[in-house]
Amino acid sequence: MAATHTGSPTRRQVLGTATGAGLALAVAGAQQGASAADLPLLGTYDVVVIGAGAAGMTAGLTAAKQGLSCVVVEKAATFGGSAARSGAGIWIPNNPVLLAAGVPDTPAKAAAYLAAVVGADVPASRQQAFLAHGPAMISFVMANSPLRFRWMEGYSDYYPELPGGLPGGRSIEPDQLDGNVLGPELARLNPPYLQVPVGMVVFSADYKWLALAAVSVKGAAVAAECLARGTKAALLGQKPLTMGQSLAAGLRKGLLDAQVPLWLDTPLTDLYTEGGAVTGAVVTRDGSPGLLRARRGVVVGSGGFEHNAAMRARYQRQPIGTEWTVGAEENTGDGIRAGERAGAALGLMDDAWWGPAIPLPGQPYFCLAERTLPGGLMVNAAGRRFVNEAAPYSDVVHTMYDRDPTDPDIPAWLIVDQNYRNRYLFRDVAPAFVLPDDWYGSGAVHKAWSWDTLASAVGIPAGALRATVDRFNSQALNGKDTDFHRGDSAYDHYYTDPVVLPNSCLAPLWLPPYYAFRIVPGDLGTKGGLVTDARARVLRADGSVIPGLYAAGNASSAVMGHSYAGAGSTIGPAMTFGYVAALDIAGRL
């Protein structure tokens, strides 16, 4: 449905009974010599969506299919946001893809597990809303876009031993999609965080095996399968997309087919309020501010604040840095700050979707398999282990921050030997291949032929490092980590080497040279933002609803609280609450 646009609004149309953000904008405009009447009306829609990531595009698609006129505006010159950069795991219990694959999930199991993971950090009503609407959202997306999904078989829930946890996992990921379906719009897809190896079609679930391709029959078979997929796609003239690229492209195709306009290079300036309700958004379009009116609601899906140094310094613990995140660079908290100015409460601002990261030149590397594979351990500045290296990545960073500041774990060091390097892929460096010179030059990596020399290079006590390695090696040979219980959880074994016995997580370090990789608290994005209810409506500090304002994704306070249920606990809720917001606006909840 086309937007209603009748030319420049009158002063009364723009101001109305303006309060809050709307009045602030009017005052600011007057101070700069321009009246609010000069602010052009860019259009009037039922729904205005801020952000073209997974949350925003799902909200826009849902609104359109409910018969509402909608526009999606995006700050970046590309669409997809952090979701397009990601592996695009999606954690939604009891969804139709899981059930079709025979996963033994039930609503009761899912509710028990999520409650055990999240605890009292998030109201039960929000947890229940996520579990109730998530499966329907997946069905809706498959019915209204070219997206199809695959079960990430074996990718365990992060706490499978808790009530309702599934060692086989509840995560799904997008299936392969031909980028040709987007035509010229494909050029505006935000690129991935890491490029897929040339000539291959790789799913997120393949990476655990690609890391083992040199030492595992199954790893070699998976690598061959990835290459065969790539060859087939090339012969068919396809532009194969997987992971976040597939997810973002599929949602974008849905918007195109539903005739939902998406405006790129259109950042949010502020929310517009009248009589205490949010009735529009002020955005910058073609370099000039303008007003988008929303008859029924504004959905904020603009991402987190991971690239806003001032906000990170204000809300989060030190040391912290915008250079350690892999979130989309445009995520500077614009929607969160606009919502706060409109009266919204904020929650979980101290937290993020953390993960140990290696600060490599250019961009950090979010460390998954590398810290879990046998033959490696992590130590702190004192040369001591301090954590189960194979634990869920968010927990590892929480541990790094929770230590006594007089005994710091930031930075930490991932220590491996040449046997490890001869066996396993490291990021995109093949086994036994030389690591890039700039990794060493940046100080992110050190290499030495003795433990004492390595300790000296990274500034930790040599005796402590030797003692730590000796103790670790003894435990590895016995297959039991009595200090930190690495390998006790089914989750610990996902990114490991199944031929290593008796514990696939543990192997001794014995072959020089030895390597130390600097580990800092990285993240996939922040998880704090606007506080919402079970209908994705934004709340004030007193619990009252701000009429017309909704939020989803990392612009909202996460339904996962301070924890992380499984792979895709970011994108699954983001899409679900984008869907819920649009349904509520349409009066369907």
Side-chain angles (χ1 to χ4, degrees), residues 171 190 301:
S171 301
N190 200 22

Side-chain angles (χ1 to χ4, degrees), residues 63-391:
K65 292 300 179 178
Q66 293 299 317
L68 303 177
S69 65
C70 179
V71 64
V72 179
V73 298
E74 168 58 49
K75 177 181 183 179
T78 57
F79 66 88
S82 293
R85 292 171 54 78
S86 74
I90 299 172
W91 195 86
I92 294 178
N94 293 295
N95 74 66
V97 179
L98 293 179
L99 299 182
V103 176
D105 202 3
T106 68
K109 286 181 182 177
Y113 178 67
L114 189 61
V117 169
V118 175
D121 288 339
V122 176
S125 60
R126 283 194 71 212
Q127 298 179 43
Q128 292 161 3
F130 166 61
L131 296 174
H133 295 289
M137 181 277 294
I138 292 294
S139 295
F140 168 82
V141 166
M142 289 194 292
N144 293 282
S145 80
L147 280 168
R148 298 296 179 266
F149 300 94
R150 303 158 53 102
W151 176 36
M152 299 174 73
E153 184 176 0
Y155 203 149
S156 171
D157 285 341
Y158 287 176
Y159 308 97
E161 293 76 29
L162 289 178
L166 296 185
R170 291 178 164 102
S171 301
I172 62 174
E173 63 171 309
D175 210 337
Q176 182 177 334
L177 181 70
D178 182 4
N180 286 318
V181 300
L182 283 181
E185 190 67 8
L186 180 61
R188 288 178 275 277
L189 173 61
N190 200 22
Y193 154 58
L194 288 177
Q195 293 290 342
V196 170
V198 175
M200 288 187 167
V201 173
V202 182
F203 296 107
S204 277
D206 294 332
Y207 274 104
K208 65 169 288 184
W209 294 110
L210 292 180
L212 304 174
V215 294
S216 162
V217 172
K218 182 169 182 178
V222 169
E225 185 180 354
C226 292
L227 185 58
R229 289 191 209 116
T231 301
K232 180 180 179 180
L235 291 173
L236 293 174
Q238 297 177 347
K239 297 177 180 176
L241 304 175
T242 57
M243 298 181 281
Q245 296 288 279
S246 175
L247 179 64
L251 289 172
R252 182 71 185 98
K253 175 60 173 171
L255 292 180
L256 286 170
D257 291 347
Q259 299 183 339
V260 176
L262 193 163
W263 298 355
L264 300 175
D265 291 307
T266 307
L268 173 71
T269 302
D270 218 332
L271 297 169
Y272 190 76
T273 62
E274 297 176 291
V278 172
T279 58
V282 176
V283 300
T284 299
R285 176 82 163 149
D286 297 326
S288 300
L291 177 64
L292 274 171
R293 282 198 170 275
R295 297 186 191 94
R296 302 181 69 162
V298 174
V299 182
V300 178
S302 53
F305 60 93
E306 55 265 26
H307 284 282
N308 186 317
M311 290 182 74
R312 299 206 81 151
R314 176 182 175 187
Y315 293 109
Q316 300 186 325
R317 288 184 281 183
Q318 295 295 327
I320 193 68
T322 58
E323 69 277 12
W324 295 340
T325 182
V326 298
E329 64 182 15
E330 292 81 11
N331 290 350
T332 55
D334 302 358
I336 297 171
R337 288 180 287 127
E340 185 180 27
R341 289 191 294 270
L346 305 183
L348 297 177
M349 296 293 284
D350 61 324
D351 216 340
W353 303 99
W354 301 112
I358 303 171
L360 298 177
Q363 68 174 356
Y365 177 61
F366 197 85
C367 211
L368 289 173
E370 293 80 4
R371 64 186 167 81
T372 299
L373 287 163
L377 67 151
M378 284 172 57
V379 300
N380 61 13
R384 295 192 294 265
R385 287 181 73 209
F386 61 93
V387 71
N388 169 10
E389 296 88 349

Side-chain angles (χ1 to χ4, degrees), residues 22-42:
L23 183 57
L25 281 165
V27 172
Q31 290 174 342
Q32 296 170 9
S35 71
D38 296 324
L39 194 66
L41 179 64
L42 300 178

Side-chain angles (χ1 to χ4, degrees), residues 374-377 415-424 448-451 469-470 472-474 476-477 500 506-515:
L377 67 151
I415 310 295
V416 306
D417 70 346
Q418 189 60 44
N419 180 54
Y420 173 107
R421 282 293 304 120
N422 289 343
R423 294 177 63 84
Y424 308 125
W449 288 86
S450 73
W451 291 121
V469 172
D470 287 346
F472 180 84
N473 285 351
S474 176
L477 290 170
V500 173
L506 300 173
L509 288 71
W510 58 272
L511 182 64
Y514 307 113
Y515 300 82

Side-chain angles (χ1 to χ4, degrees), residues 514-541:
Y514 307 113
Y515 300 82
F517 297 85
R518 189 170 187 258
I519 299 291
V520 297
D523 63 72
L524 302 170
T526 51
K527 65 158 55 174
L530 308 177
V531 174
T532 57
D533 66 6
R535 291 157 59 181
R537 301 178 300 179
V538 175
L539 305 178
R540 301 183 180 92

